[in-house]
């Protein structure tokens, strides 16, 4: 059974760092791109970052470029999001989502339940 | 301000047909596929429609999608109480806004 499980959320002060992790099972991880998508409280979905199946291609939303970094470990079936210089506007539930394809698309067939990040002093 | 434009709300009574629009531009909907996601309150989003009009396995045929030019729409026929949720359109975008853009979401209420 396919599973996507995020962890690492919590409360952090502005300017500090946090690392989110997403562990998957139930499918051949090395075939598929992975994404992080976030949702601020009471707001809509915002795409954050993607990484291709082989980890060679990454891409970021303008709002996080230069501060966030996505990576993957194909041996341990995991993808991470390193978040630096956090701002209050980064407060959101962060979802990890599996792409149907290897290089990245807007076609995401499995999502985790999300992990909440709160940036506050 | 979302790149794709959706109405904030839509509603209908059980059994009715509800349509949600999603408007974009040539850099996104006009030259790329449209996807629709359903999000029940408190839950993760779920893929509802892919490649404009293809239903993933398990999605009822009450849901249908279409695309024309730089706009797309999602229709729900035979509205049911369990369809009450937020619906988001998404597309790849070839401009600096991308590569992935969402609509602001439409809250569907079953009256």
């Amino acid at each position: 059974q396919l599973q996507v499980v995020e962890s690492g959320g919590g409360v952090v002060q502005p300017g500090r760092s946090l690392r989110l992790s997403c562990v998957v099972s139930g499918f051949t991880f090395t075939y598929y791109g992975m994404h992080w998508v976030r949702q601020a409280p009471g707001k809509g979905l915002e795409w954050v970052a993607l990484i291709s199946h082989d980890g060679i291609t990454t891409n970021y939303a303008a709002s996080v470029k230069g501060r966030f970094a996505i990576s993957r470990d194909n041996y341990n079936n995991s993808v991470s999001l390193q978040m630096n210089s956090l701002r209050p506007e980064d407060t959101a539930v962060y979802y990890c989502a599996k792409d149907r394809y290897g290089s990245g698309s807007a076609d995401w067939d499995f999502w985790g339940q999300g992990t909440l990040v709160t940036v506050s002093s | 301000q979302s790149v794709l434009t959706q109405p904030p709300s839509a509603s209908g009574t059980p059994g009715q047909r509800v349509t949600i629009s999603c408007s974009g531009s040539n850099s996104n909907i006009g030259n790329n596929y449209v996807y629709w996601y359903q999000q029940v309150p408190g839950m993760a989003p779920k893929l509802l429609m892919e490649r404009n009009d293809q239903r993933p396995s398990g999605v009822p045929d009450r849901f249908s999608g279409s695309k024309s030019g730089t706009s797309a729409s999602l229709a729900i026929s035979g509205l049911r109480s369990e369809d009450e949720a937020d619906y988001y359109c998404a597309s790849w975008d070839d401009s600096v806004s991308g590569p992935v853009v969402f609509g602001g979401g439409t809250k569907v209420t079953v009256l």
Side-chain angles (χ1 to χ4, degrees):
Chain A
Q1 184 176 345
L2 193 147
Q3 282 195 308
V4 177
V5 180
E6 305 96 336
S7 62
V11 180
V12 61
Q13 293 180 326
R16 304 297 292 264
S17 299
L18 201 63
R19 187 178 181 89
L20 305 183
S21 179
C22 170
V23 177
V24 308
S25 60
F27 65 95
T28 306
F29 183 62
T30 54
Y31 286 179
Y32 302 102
M34 297 293 296
H35 299 257
W36 288 96
V37 178
R38 68 185 181 183
Q39 186 170 35
K43 302 295 184 183
L45 301 174
E46 179 189 14
W47 173 81
V48 174
L50 78 84
I51 188 164
S52 60
H53 68 100
D54 53 9
I56 291 176
T57 301
T58 59
N59 214 322
Y60 300 91
S63 57
V64 307
K65 192 174 290 186
R67 299 188 299 123
F68 289 13
I70 188 171
S71 60
R72 66 190 293 157
D73 180 345
N74 281 351
Y75 291 102
N76 292 304
N77 285 8
S78 67
V79 59
S80 297
L81 186 68
Q82 177 67 41
M83 304 185 295
N84 300 326
S85 303
L86 282 161
R87 305 166 179 169
E89 55 265 36
D90 295 319
T91 295
V93 173
Y94 284 74
Y95 294 102
C96 178
K98 170 191 168 291
D99 200 302
R100 274 193 182 277
Y101 303 97
S103 298
S105 73
D107 196 350
W108 311 319
D109 54 353
F110 287 98
W111 297 59
Q113 286 306 300
T115 187
L116 176 62
V117 173
T118 303
V119 184
S120 174
S121 54
Chain B
Q1 188 97 7
S2 302
V3 174
L4 305 180
T5 301
Q6 296 179 237
S9 63
S11 62
T13 56
Q16 277 191 328
R17 175 184 173 93
V18 169
T19 302
I20 303 166
S21 62
C22 176
S23 177
S25 66
N26 285 326
S27 67
N28 42 66
I29 293 177
N31 285 301
N32 294 286
Y33 290 120
V34 177
Y35 301 85
W36 290 90
Y37 293 89
Q38 178 193 56
Q39 187 179 33
V40 174
M43 302 292 288
K46 167 192 167 185
L47 179 64
L48 194 67
M49 198 68 59
E50 58 180 341
R51 295 196 166 197
N52 305 331
D53 57 9
Q54 304 299 306
R55 281 187 308 278
S57 175
V59 174
D61 59 6
R62 303 184 292 103
F63 294 91
S64 61
S66 65
K67 180 186 125 171
S68 178
T70 59
S71 293
S73 63
L74 176 74
I76 311 172
S77 302
L79 193 65
R80 302 177 65 160
S81 58
E82 58 261 39
D83 299 331
E84 188 159 290
D86 294 317
Y87 294 82
Y88 295 90
C89 59
S91 181
W92 198 261
D93 192 303
D94 302 317
S95 75
V96 295
S97 299
V100 181
V101 291
F102 277 107
T106 298
K107 169 71 175 178
V108 169
T109 301
V110 182
L111 301 171

